[in-house]
Amino acid sequence: MSEPSRLPSRIAQKLAERQQQGLHRSVKAFHHQDGKLIDEHNNTYLNFSGNDYLGLANDPALISAWQDGLSLYGAGSTASPLVTGFSHAHQALEVSLCDWLGFDKALLFNSGFSANQAVIFSLLEKGDVLFQDKLNHASLMEAGILSEATMLRFLHNNTAKLDSALKNQSEAPSRFVITEGVFSMDGDLSPLADIDVVCRANEACLMVDDAHGIGVLGKEGRGSCDNAGIQPDILIVTFGKAFGMMGAAVMCSAQVHDYLTQFARHYVYSTAMPPAQAYALSKAVSMIRKDNWRREKLHELSSRFHRVLSEHHEVVETQTPIKPAVLGDVTTMLTAAEHLKSAGFWTGAIRPPTVPPNSSRLRITLSVNQTLDDVNALACKLRHILEGDRHE
Ligand SMILES: *Cc1c(COP(=O)(O)O)cnc(C)c1O
């Protein structure tokens, strides 16, 4: 009978633990202007922490497409897709995604988080085995833990370990492998061509979550899979990163599309995204395909960044706009983040449980919104901080 009073004390205790570990976090309200961040004290920072790699979030052409969409279709979709929430704007977006990425079908979701849950919960059953890269995103891990399938995690990017794990589970009714195309906290690429070979050899399904590769890598920004020359069974595309907006699509065969339309509860029982958003997302697809200059600019920014920091092992070279500086303990990382902040650079301060213990890092991200001078200045400041550390 004392149950109800236990919850508040448990909440208080867990919050206190987070505080003691230095892991307690809170949200801050920012004003975004021309790729800069303005905080509540009116301090302005260059933003090196977002996922708007291609600089689309504030692009006038995309903003006016969303405004046009509002005039054409109204503010909301008014229902879930199977009722009456699916409009011609949603349909056109699905067609343009299929045309771009070479899949038979696309199914739209309101977030990558829900798309991942929907696929894992509805496709996998008890007895099936799900294999996930250890560094997969929290949305994939959480869905795997909650699903009825058995989840096994393989060593990051280790194709041999995946192969032997698949062979050990050869009697499972279905084997399903999930990897990210680009890992969100490390910026490294999955060895997709090898993983694809291993999956085929073991008759396992392959799903790639390309949240951070889509738009950035491959021909016309088709992402990690195009870059590696493979076509997975299922591709997750999210619209919250390079698209500069939000939402997600599951790219798949006509049969899987039909199956998810029947059984994916996040799809069936959730209001469809506003048609104006779908309309603007179609515009984003065409900008991403056409605007090679955005990807070229990211390359230029990336080379400059690594040139300045080439002697610092904390900063691993990546082929993506994600540039982690792995500093180890939380305090060292937070001190570095504070130094950068006082110099006018806002970087992502990433700590456990988002990353493994003792791998706290600055997650620095590049964006088309930045100039070569901005990136140079940030990299020089970071170099200075890292050199200071070394002399302590
Ligand atoms: C951001 C992210 C998601 C979640 O997508 P949202 O649309 O933000 O919910 C899923 N997977 C990966 C790898 C991500 O980086």
Side-chain angles (χ1 to χ4, degrees):
M1 296 307 105
S2 59
E3 290 297 334
S5 67
R6 280 195 195 155
L7 185 59
S9 73
R10 192 171 72 207
I11 290 172
Q13 188 199 335
K14 296 238 160 157
L15 284 171
E17 275 170 21
R18 271 277 156 111
Q19 290 280 12
Q20 279 155 18
Q21 295 161 336
L23 298 177
H24 186 265
R25 311 181 62 189
S26 52
V27 291
K28 286 178 199 65
F30 285 104
H31 181 64
H32 290 248
Q33 196 168 50
D34 307 324
K36 295 191 179 58
L37 290 173
I38 303 167
D39 70 9
E40 64 261 21
H41 308 297
N42 243 0
N43 298 313
T44 302
Y45 304 94
L46 290 170
N47 187 2
F48 281 93
S49 69
N51 300 318
D52 180 26
Y53 308 121
L54 298 179
L56 290 181
N58 278 294
D59 190 286
L62 192 55
I63 294 168
S64 80
W66 201 327
Q67 287 163 338
D68 291 347
L70 287 168
S71 308
L72 287 165
Y73 300 99
S77 71
T78 77
S80 59
L82 283 171
V83 180
T84 50
F86 190 75
S87 72
H88 292 294
H90 295 93
Q91 194 170 44
L93 173 58
E94 289 185 356
V95 169
S96 69
L97 288 166
C98 290
D99 179 54
W100 177 37
L101 299 170
F103 280 80
D104 289 340
K105 286 286 187 179
L107 197 69
L108 301 176
F109 285 84
N110 289 321
S111 72
F113 202 105
S114 63
N116 282 338
Q117 282 213 339
V119 170
I120 291 170
F121 288 174
S122 57
L123 284 182
L124 299 183
E125 296 183 357
K126 199 170 166 62
D128 293 344
V129 184
L130 167 62
F131 302 81
Q132 296 217 53
D133 186 291
K134 277 208 154 149
L135 295 188
N136 275 356
H137 189 258
S139 58
L140 295 165
M141 285 303 174
E142 163 135 327
I145 290 165
L146 296 176
S147 89
E148 290 181 10
T150 302
M151 181 166 85
L152 299 174
R153 309 198 306 165
F154 59 93
L155 220 56
H156 177 53
N157 281 349
N158 193 319
T159 317
K161 291 267 196 242
L162 171 62
D163 188 41
S164 58
L166 281 164
K167 291 197 161 61
N168 284 340
Q169 299 291 333
S170 55
E171 71 296 340
S174 279
R175 287 166 303 155
F176 200 81
V177 175
I178 307 180
T179 181
E180 293 185 25
V182 171
F183 287 86
S184 53
M185 295 299 141
D186 293 80
D188 58 338
L189 307 186
S190 164
L192 286 177
D194 293 344
I195 288 187
D196 188 54
V197 168
V198 165
C199 288
R200 282 168 196 275
N202 289 285
E203 294 178 344
C205 272
L206 174 60
M207 168 165 132
V208 176
D209 176 345
D210 206 22
H212 297 274
I214 198 75
V216 169
L217 298 172
K219 191 158 182 283
E220 293 187 344
R222 287 186 200 121
S224 306
C225 296
D226 178 81
N227 193 46
I230 69 149
Q231 177 92 325
D233 299 291
I234 295 176
L235 172 67
I236 304 293
V237 173
T238 70
F239 306 137
K241 276 93 187 203
F243 276 71
M245 294 178 60
M246 70 173 299
V250 176
M251 308 303 301
C252 57
S253 68
Q255 196 178 41
V256 170
H257 179 273
D258 188 20
Y259 181 89
L260 292 173
T261 303
Q262 315 307 317
F263 299 112
R265 291 181 297 279
H266 298 70
Y267 183 74
V268 177
Y269 299 108
S270 192
T271 303
M273 69 171 68
Q277 182 184 338
Y279 185 81
L281 284 165
S282 292
K283 175 69 181 177
V285 171
S286 76
M287 292 171 78
I288 290 171
R289 292 185 75 164
K290 270 205 322 274
D291 293 354
N292 262 323
W293 65 267
R294 295 179 193 271
R295 285 177 285 277
E296 283 159 12
K297 179 161 181 197
L298 281 177
H299 269 291
E300 207 185 334
L301 298 177
S302 178
S303 325
R304 174 63 63 93
F305 180 84
H306 287 301
R307 201 189 315 152
V308 175
L309 287 156
S310 59
E311 284 170 18
H312 294 274
H313 65 92
E314 296 91 339
V315 181
V316 181
E317 186 154 354
T318 67
Q319 299 169 55
T320 65
I322 302 170
K323 308 295 183 193
V326 182
L327 301 181
D329 71 282
V330 179
T331 319
T332 309
M333 183 275 292
L334 287 177
T335 310
E338 277 307 316
H339 279 128
L340 288 171
K341 228 167 93 178
S342 33
F345 304 106
W346 196 280
T347 59
I350 312 288
R351 63 208 95 181
T354 308
V355 291
N358 287 316
S359 72
S360 290
R361 67 196 65 188
L362 301 172
R363 180 177 181 268
I364 297 164
T365 53
L366 304 179
S367 163
V368 165
N369 289 322
Q370 299 149 1
T371 66
L372 210 47
D373 285 347
D374 294 338
V375 171
N376 197 65
L378 164 86
C380 290
K381 182 70 196 173
L382 178 59
R383 184 173 63 187
H384 193 77
I385 292 168
L386 294 174
E387 279 164 3
D389 264 7
R390 220 178 256 175
H391 300 312
E392 266 168 20

